[in-house]
Amino acid sequence: MSAGKCEVCLEEKLKLVTCGRCGNRKYCGAGCQRKNWPTHKHACQPKKQPSWILKITIPDSRDPQIWRTLVCPDGATFQELHYAIQVAFGWAAAHSYDFVARDPTAEERSVADIRALMQHRMALDKGEHRDFGPRQNFIRIINPDDDKMTDSMHAYGRKHSQTPEKKADKVCVGEQFNKKEWKDAEWEYMYDFGNNWGHEIEIIGRGKVDDVFECTSGNGHAIAEDVGSMSGWEELKNAYRAAQPDNEQKKKMHWFENSASNFDPEGLKERESYVDLSIINALLRTSMDCTD
């Protein structure tokens, strides 16, 4: 084994200490490493890690179920992941969002407890921040522009005093997915706190070191923005399935093909499973360039 040279004292040694953050500087020992840090810290960048391969599913969707497989760079922020999900699922980025790491051991919240929910909403109206039900999540990662979104008023049930919150543009995906404290967490992305479009995020592997998002597979046409929750989406699909649609169904189809925020002039007829990866990936490249 040949000797290496310390980058501070220039002493040659068979075994050198490597900067654990960037892996680019070598030292004869911790003393020289500490001595060099005030200078090196300005150039020290964390080593790039393999991308995350995520299967993201809208679990309430049926016949067909809507899902995408997304390659996400380790160093991407959750805000960038939000934009990527918007592109991959064909959303219009018109509403607020959050990410949560659900605690699988948390006590179930009773959705039937309407009285407790109303008491919580009344307390919020008075400026009091009381918790509704037991803590559900390890962390909640929020939209940094949440106060500008009209639907953010519906986020009351997603806040909890024992759940820390971080802004999505300030925290990286790899930092959170690697947390040992919540390695069994169930990740969820919620879009539009009025219609509540929940997306389950399953980490299915690691890919190559990369700086770009990519959608590698998927199924299911993009859901119409503001269609009125999943029941509204089912009604729209049924309109296209009808052999002789009534006037109300015709109005729904016309709205989807001409007026929805993410309208599709080709409609849904025999296209309910439609997804075009080439278009998604072209949009991912251009849209993510715009967020830099």
Side-chain angles (χ1 to χ4, degrees):
M1 180 184 294
S2 60
K5 188 177 290 187
C6 173
E7 299 197 33
V8 176
C9 68
L10 304 182
E11 181 180 346
E12 289 192 358
K13 281 197 171 185
L14 290 176
K15 190 173 183 180
L16 297 173
V17 175
T18 303
C19 175
R21 189 165 185 261
C22 68
N24 293 327
R25 292 291 182 95
K26 297 184 181 297
Y27 307 99
C28 61
C32 280
Q33 186 175 11
R34 285 194 297 269
K35 184 177 179 180
N36 186 236
W37 178 243
T39 301
H40 175 52
K41 67 180 180 181
H42 301 294
C44 185
Q45 297 294 326
K47 291 182 289 187
K48 291 184 178 180
Q49 300 296 324
S51 298
W52 297 85
I53 303 175
L54 310 174
K55 183 174 182 181
I56 306 174
T57 304
I58 300 179
D60 292 337
S61 60
R62 295 288 185 273
D63 191 26
Q65 187 162 74
I66 302 170
W67 58 271
R68 306 285 187 264
T69 302
L70 201 62
V71 178
C72 173
D74 180 78
T77 65
F78 276 89
Q79 186 171 40
E80 290 171 326
L81 178 55
H82 153 69
Y83 287 131
I85 293 174
Q86 289 286 301
V87 170
F89 283 86
W91 295 118
H95 301 280
S96 197
Y97 69 91
D98 68 12
F99 294 86
V100 296
R102 294 198 299 256
D103 181 355
T105 66
E107 180 184 346
E108 281 292 326
R109 173 184 295 169
S110 174
V111 295
D113 192 355
I114 303 300
R115 179 177 294 180
L117 176 59
M118 293 304 297
Q119 289 174 341
H120 180 72
R121 293 186 64 174
M122 291 171 61
L124 286 175
D125 291 340
K126 297 176 183 177
E128 302 172 6
H129 297 278
R130 301 178 189 170
D131 294 328
F132 170 54
R135 180 192 64 80
Q136 300 292 305
N137 307 310
F138 291 116
I139 190 170
R140 180 172 180 248
I141 299 171
I142 64 173
N143 178 8
D145 298 316
D146 192 58
D147 58 339
K148 300 175 183 177
M149 301 293 181
T150 57
D151 60 312
S152 64
M153 68 179 70
H154 300 297
Y156 50 83
R158 299 181 68 78
K159 296 177 179 289
H160 199 284
S161 65
Q162 297 174 44
T163 302
E165 294 186 353
K166 291 188 177 183
K167 292 186 176 180
D169 60 340
K170 302 298 183 184
V171 58
C172 290
V173 167
E175 174 189 333
Q176 299 302 315
F177 287 173
N178 271 318
K179 288 274 189 183
K180 294 180 180 179
E181 306 95 292
W182 50 69
K183 63 181 180 67
D184 296 323
E186 299 167 348
W187 283 91
E188 176 191 67
Y189 167 76
M190 181 66 75
Y191 173 62
D192 185 349
F193 299 144
N195 284 327
N196 292 315
W197 299 112
H199 303 61
E200 290 184 350
I201 301 175
E202 180 185 1
I203 300 170
I204 60 176
R206 304 294 296 269
K208 62 182 180 179
V209 175
D210 210 335
D211 293 325
V212 297
F213 284 91
E214 182 182 7
C215 186
T216 58
S217 59
N219 188 61
H221 194 288
I223 293 175
E225 193 95 17
D226 297 319
V227 74
S229 300
M230 195 56 70
S231 60
W233 178 240
E234 291 300 320
E235 290 175 4
L236 181 62
K237 289 194 297 182
N238 288 333
Y240 280 97
R241 292 169 179 171
Q244 295 181 320
D246 58 30
N247 287 335
E248 187 64 30
Q249 289 175 321
K250 289 178 181 178
K251 288 180 181 178
K252 291 180 187 295
M253 292 188 288
H254 183 269
W255 168 80
F256 178 55
E257 294 172 17
N258 297 275
S259 305
S261 299
N262 56 347
F263 70 94
D264 185 343
E266 296 185 51
L268 282 176
K269 193 73 172 181
E270 298 180 354
R271 300 178 72 245
E272 292 181 12
S273 295
Y274 173 80
V275 56
D276 191 324
L277 298 182
S278 62
I279 292 177
I280 290 174
N281 285 314
L283 289 172
L284 280 175
R285 288 190 293 271
T286 56
S287 64
M288 301 318 288
D289 286 343
C290 293
T291 63
D292 290 342

